[in-house]
Amino acid sequence: MERMVIVIVICCPNALGLAVPFVVAKSTALSAKNGLLIKNRTAFENSRKITTLVFDKTGTLTIGKFEVSKVVSLQNGLSENELIRIASALEQNSEHPIATGILQKVKDLKIQVPATENFNAITGKGVEAIVEGKKVKVVSPGFLKENNIPFPVNFKTDAAETIVFVIIDNALAGYIALSDEIRPESAEAIQELKKNHIKSILLTGDNKNVAATVSNTLGMDSFIAEVLPHQKLEKIKDLQSNGEFVAMTGDGVNDAPALAQADIGIAVGSGSDIAAETAGIILVNSNPKDIVNLILFGKATYRKMVQNLMWATGYNVIALPLAAGVLYNQGIILSPAAGAALMSVSTIVVAINASMLKIKR
Ligand code: ADP
Ligand code: MG
């Protein structure tokens, strides 16, 4: 009767049942406090398996706050202010950081933004609409190449600048150069990833010059420029079929398909709602360094779970036979009180171990 009672007491699987939930509770609280919003726990626990991290550029590695640095008109009789005025008409309908930059400039110049008709966003390439009876497009350099529109003669810009061309009634009317700043934490984040043997790849819809500058400045492994949203998705698939465990970080509507395809989708908090909706993890503070924290913390959390399971199992493996009386011949026998104490201790050990989980920063 006594043996039976002790075995049942020991069997009561408190520690075993609580080993993982304790760690989950602690790690959820810690990550939320540190700006990591975990929507998908499996994604978080898998973060220790990441071999390649794909970054979107604008808004992710850079601040995503474009400032107009140059406005150039290519037509006689078309002033620079007139060029940006017409471009701004289209941009008032767009949520792209380029649009915000252009609108800010127009506001600073105290120019009235005209109305548009038939607005259309050309995915990953630009925008088009009718302004004051004219067909206007504001587009990427890639769009010019695709449509065999020659670049202006003597066209030369700063390598770090994003360029958008303004086309009015099918004629190239001018261009606007914008610059964005790399987030101060980005370089450190890439270095940390290197230390942890994780490859970093830049994937952007912006032009090659800008992509190369950002990628080289940060010391990334490679870059792919002028990609359209569906190509971002294809690229993730390619990496996955090469056996990589891929995490994707992005902020834009154009990143959403890639975020969904990646093994782990990480959205930058300052980005669009669709990106946040699709991703498994959100970086509340929009800090790329948090990605490294996330990976290290994912590893630490997993280790704690394994430790706790080992503790709890070990306790049962030893205590159960003892309770059943296997060492009765040697005179070792567990009293019901000792059994109850042991059971509590095992739960306390597991709880203390879980509470020692920390985020390294
Ligand atoms: P990213 O990968 O940097 O987020 P996107 O796919 O959003 O890039 O955009 C790619 C390119 O398309 C931009 O660099 C720009 O040349 C052009 N583009 C996109 N949206 C706009 C817009 N609203 N106005 C002007 N150009 C745009
Ligand atoms: Mg972006």
Side-chain angles (χ1 to χ4, degrees):
M1 192 64 182
E2 198 179 285
R3 293 298 97 216
M4 216 172 75
V5 168
I6 306 171
V7 166
I8 288 168
V9 166
I10 298 280
C11 260
C12 171
N14 259 351
L16 206 51
L18 291 171
V20 171
F22 268 149
V23 178
V24 170
K26 178 73 184 173
S27 101
T28 306
L30 265 183
S31 48
K33 251 187 228 157
N34 286 274
L36 303 170
L37 201 66
I38 295 165
K39 281 169 56 198
N40 179 341
R41 271 219 77 86
T42 323
F44 169 64
E45 277 155 32
N46 280 340
S47 64
R48 71 203 145 85
K49 296 187 201 154
I50 297 174
T51 57
T52 299
L53 235 159
V54 178
F55 288 93
D56 162 58
K57 179 184 70 73
T58 315
T60 305
L61 287 174
T62 68
I63 296 173
K65 203 164 164 267
F66 279 105
E67 276 177 31
V68 174
S69 48
K70 206 164 31 173
V71 182
V72 179
S73 162
L74 298 166
Q75 284 178 354
N76 286 333
L78 180 75
S79 72
E80 271 133 38
N81 280 5
E82 179 59 11
L83 185 80
I84 196 167
R85 186 182 78 92
I86 292 176
S88 72
L90 277 66
E91 301 297 5
Q92 66 187 329
N93 302 301
S94 167
E95 285 176 359
H96 201 279
I98 293 179
T100 318
I102 291 178
L103 287 170
Q104 184 59 46
K105 182 70 182 178
V106 168
K107 205 171 155 199
D108 293 347
L109 293 169
K110 301 207 166 53
I111 296 174
Q112 184 99 40
V113 180
T116 54
E117 287 166 61
N118 300 348
F119 174 83
N120 178 35
I122 319 169
T123 317
K125 292 176 196 166
V127 286
E128 61 184 352
I130 293 174
V131 185
E132 298 170 346
K134 299 190 195 85
K135 270 204 285 183
V136 184
K137 290 190 179 79
V138 182
V139 288
S140 66
F143 183 89
L144 290 201
K145 280 180 220 155
E146 257 171 55
N147 292 277
N148 297 320
I149 304 170
F151 279 79
V153 267
N154 297 334
F155 176 70
K156 205 173 168 292
T157 54
D158 193 315
E161 276 175 344
T162 297
I163 309 289
V164 291
F165 289 96
V166 184
I167 299 173
I168 303 178
D169 283 336
N170 294 322
L172 189 56
Y175 61 89
I176 300 170
L178 304 107
S179 54
D180 189 6
E181 262 176 75
I182 294 178
R183 285 188 200 269
E185 309 90 356
S186 296
E188 215 180 314
I190 303 291
Q191 288 313 314
E192 286 291 326
L193 289 178
K194 272 218 172 103
K195 264 191 230 157
N196 289 282
H197 310 288
I198 296 169
K199 286 191 275 299
S200 53
I201 299 178
L202 178 64
L203 200 57
T204 180
D206 210 337
N207 70 62
K208 287 204 176 70
N209 285 339
V210 184
T213 309
V214 172
S215 159
N216 294 338
T217 311
L218 297 177
M220 299 177 76
D221 291 285
S222 63
F223 70 87
I224 307 161
E226 292 176 24
V227 282
L228 299 177
H230 71 272
Q231 294 171 321
K232 288 194 178 191
L233 172 98
E234 292 302 323
K235 191 62 212 164
I236 303 279
K237 278 191 186 160
D238 281 355
L239 287 166
Q240 285 172 329
S241 59
N242 286 338
E244 302 280 351
F245 197 86
V246 186
M248 162 87 196
T249 317
D251 69 325
V253 177
N254 59 342
D255 299 319
L259 286 172
Q261 173 63 35
D263 296 299
I264 301 171
I266 305 169
V268 175
S270 59
S272 67
D273 292 348
I274 300 182
E277 194 56 48
T278 327
I281 296 160
I282 301 165
L283 306 179
V284 179
N285 303 325
S286 307
N287 180 350
K289 259 214 83 190
D290 281 345
I291 298 171
V292 184
N293 293 336
L294 166 82
I295 295 171
L296 296 179
F297 187 55
K299 281 185 186 166
T301 300
Y302 184 76
R303 267 200 309 272
K304 275 282 173 226
M305 285 182 181
V306 173
Q307 271 173 19
N308 263 3
L309 281 175
M310 276 170 28
W311 265 109
T313 317
Y315 146 79
N316 277 305
V317 164
I318 293 170
L320 264 182
L322 270 186
V326 280
L327 294 181
Y328 182 74
N329 287 341
Q330 271 88 49
I332 299 177
I333 190 164
L334 219 54
S335 72
L342 253 183
M343 196 198 69
S344 312
V345 166
S346 74
T347 309
I348 292 167
V349 165
V350 164
I352 291 178
N353 190 37
S355 73
M356 283 184 335
L357 183 64
K358 275 194 191 75
I359 281 196
K360 273 190 242 153
R361 353 194 89 234

